[in-house]
Amino acid sequence: MLKFDDQILGDAYCRHFERGPDDDTMVINMGPQHPSTHGVLRVVCELDGEYIKRAEPVLGYIHRMHEKMGETKTYWQFLPNMGRVDYLHAMGWAHTYVMAVEKLGGIEVPERAEYIRVIMTEMNRISSHLLWWGAYLLDLGAFTPIMYAFADREIMLDIMQDPTGSRLTYCYHRFGGVLKDLSPAVLESIRDWVKYQRERWPMYKDLVTDNVILRGRVENIGVIDKDMAIRYGATGPVARGSGINYDCRKNEPYSVYDRFDFDVPVHQEGDAFARYLVRVEEMEQSLRIIEQALDQIDKAEGKHIVKKAPKPTYKAPAGEVYMATEGARGKIGIHVASDGSKTPYRIKLRAPGYCNLSLFAELATGTILADAVSILGSIDLVIPEIDR
């Protein structure tokens, strides 16, 4: 901490965070290695007793310049980066990127590949929400749920490992399709898993959702009204927990999502519990989508990838495109500008977590420190996505 003219100015990364005029306040750091910040996020807080007078997220501890990397690699070489931007919903990011490049190059995707992409992306959404569920409850002091979450998530990862070859930072999508088809055995495993996972929800509800201790930590905590959510550009479960009925899969349909019957969970309360409920209900909706995709995939035309799929030396035509999809944390946006070479001229990523975290400074003001942990967890942060 630096001192200048008897004023505490903060450190080199946050010089503008000055302590207020009150003599009895204290400046502390949460993170960048605090368990509740879910990665290398640092939050500088000015406290009056246990109450937060100001709180400011400080980024930059894991910055890897993904967008600049995208401008120095070929379209193919940049594909694995998507799994590193958001390692919990790698399928969602890869889906967005390949669709942006396909839109730029006019590359058609076989129907079967579209169904496979949807199945795998929705499975990955559930695995992301499950890990959030367990980690959030761990933040609040409950240890048992994360063991259940990991056990159930492992079943999904075992199934997804067969076609993808990996368990976390998936690089399964290809321009014009996917790496490998889903075999009949894998499709059958997914059907069995859907039934198993659906039978688990009542236990989750009894153990956690109806638990009076959880309710005390999340109800009426961190209330984000609709106006605040819009002002900060919040999307995903954060926005839908504040009454905003917006989901790219419904409002800006892409791939084959318009062929499925599913609901968009929305809650009006805007508190941490509303965001909790949205994610829990979304897992059930993802199961509905997967079930319908499994029923329809055998009638889909084509194979898992287009015949003349682009090669690693692929040159996209000159132009620019923007593609948006619904990720586990909200709206993913990718803007690609091409000058006709093998390397993108510009790439810009729109990460939902960055906008969702931006509202934390305003939201945390006036709350107690223990509630700040509950609020941060309810936003569902994946730091590499925010600090990309």
Side-chain angles (χ1 to χ4, degrees):
M1 196 70 72
L2 303 177
K3 281 191 175 183
F4 180 73
D5 290 342
D6 293 324
Q7 282 188 319
I8 296 176
L9 300 179
D11 66 14
Y13 294 100
C14 199
R15 285 175 182 271
H16 59 287
F17 194 95
E18 298 178 9
R19 195 172 69 176
D22 297 338
D23 291 334
D24 55 352
T25 61
M26 178 173 61
V27 175
I28 67 163
N29 288 295
M30 281 178 69
Q33 295 291 346
H34 193 282
S36 72
T37 58
H38 294 215
V40 280
L41 171 67
R42 173 181 168 219
V43 182
V44 188
C45 304
E46 183 183 5
L47 300 181
D48 181 3
E50 286 200 44
Y51 286 88
I52 294 175
K53 295 197 73 170
R54 288 183 300 144
E56 184 169 324
V58 183
L59 303 176
Y61 292 92
I62 198 173
H63 191 46
R64 285 179 286 184
M65 302 178 69
H66 280 291
E67 283 139 324
K68 294 309 291 181
M69 269 197 270
E71 294 165 15
T72 59
K73 294 174 180 290
T74 66
Y75 289 94
W76 266 79
Q77 288 171 332
F78 188 58
L79 194 47
N81 280 62
M82 295 296 98
R84 278 72 182 173
V85 172
D86 181 352
Y87 52 88
L88 293 185
H89 199 209
M91 291 284 185
W93 276 89
H95 197 178
T96 317
Y97 176 62
V98 295
M99 280 198 297
V101 176
E102 286 160 358
K103 190 175 176 182
L104 186 62
I107 301 166
E108 290 188 8
V109 182
E111 251 190 338
R112 185 174 178 85
E114 295 282 16
Y115 279 100
I116 294 172
R117 286 178 175 184
V118 166
I119 291 170
M120 300 298 271
T121 301
E122 291 306 314
M123 288 182 74
N124 202 196
R125 186 189 310 277
I126 295 174
S127 72
S128 174
H129 280 358
L130 261 186
L131 190 61
W132 164 83
W133 183 80
Y136 183 44
L137 297 164
L138 194 63
D139 290 346
L140 300 179
F143 182 74
T144 305
I146 197 168
M147 305 306 288
Y148 284 105
F150 264 103
D152 286 349
R153 187 167 169 270
E154 281 298 301
I155 299 170
M156 255 178 291
L157 301 191
D158 286 345
I159 297 170
M160 294 171 77
Q161 186 177 357
D162 184 288
T164 65
S166 54
R167 298 175 69 84
L168 190 68
T169 51
Y170 301 108
C171 186
Y172 178 60
H173 291 69
R174 293 292 182 272
F175 305 125
V178 293
L179 169 67
K180 186 179 173 186
D181 202 353
L182 299 182
S183 67
V186 170
L187 291 172
E188 196 55 36
S189 299
I190 297 172
R191 282 188 186 281
D192 293 341
W193 162 75
V194 169
K195 289 176 190 168
Y196 165 83
Q197 196 59 54
R198 186 163 280 141
E199 290 169 359
R200 299 285 282 175
W201 300 145
M203 185 274 290
Y204 280 33
K205 185 173 184 296
D206 291 343
L207 178 69
V208 178
T209 309
D210 291 341
N211 189 301
V212 66
I213 301 173
L214 172 78
R215 295 294 187 92
R217 294 297 310 275
V218 295
E219 282 183 324
N220 299 314
I221 301 297
V223 176
I224 303 169
D225 61 33
K226 194 180 284 187
D227 173 64
M228 184 192 287
I230 293 170
R231 276 193 288 118
Y232 284 96
T235 53
V238 172
R240 292 192 284 275
S242 298
I244 298 173
N245 189 353
Y246 186 89
D247 185 315
C248 283
R249 294 170 296 176
K250 283 278 190 186
N251 298 84
E252 303 176 48
Y254 54 91
S255 190
V256 287
Y257 276 103
D258 56 350
R259 302 181 188 184
F260 307 126
D261 178 27
F262 66 100
D263 300 321
V264 177
V266 177
H267 286 264
Q268 305 295 328
E269 296 80 4
D271 57 4
F273 190 49
R275 296 186 280 280
Y276 171 96
L277 290 176
V278 167
R279 291 194 187 93
V280 169
E281 292 167 14
E282 277 187 2
M283 287 193 277
E284 170 58 28
Q285 295 306 317
S286 290
L287 288 183
R288 285 181 65 191
I289 293 171
I290 293 167
E291 267 185 331
Q292 292 171 63
L294 290 171
D295 291 340
Q296 297 175 24
I297 192 169
D298 287 340
K299 296 174 188 169
E301 294 180 358
K303 297 187 175 180
H304 68 286
I305 193 164
V306 71
K307 265 188 180 177
K308 293 185 178 178
K311 299 189 183 308
T313 53
Y314 174 68
K315 291 181 181 178
E320 55 185 309
V321 294
Y322 177 75
M323 191 70 221
T325 67
E326 190 66 31
R329 271 151 285 286
K331 186 173 187 175
I332 297 171
I334 297 183
H335 176 237
V336 182
S338 167
D339 59 2
S341 67
K342 289 186 288 186
T343 305
Y345 178 71
R346 286 285 184 273
I347 282 192
K348 172 63 183 169
L349 309 179
R350 193 268 179 202
Y354 186 83
C355 296
N356 295 345
L357 175 65
S358 300
L359 51 77
F360 179 75
E362 181 177 336
L363 188 60
T365 304
T367 65
I368 63 173
L369 190 57
D371 287 346
V373 173
S374 176
I375 294 168
L376 266 179
S378 73
I379 295 173
D380 188 14
L381 303 173
V382 171
I383 306 304
E385 180 205 65
I386 298 166
D387 198 4
R388 61 192 179 280

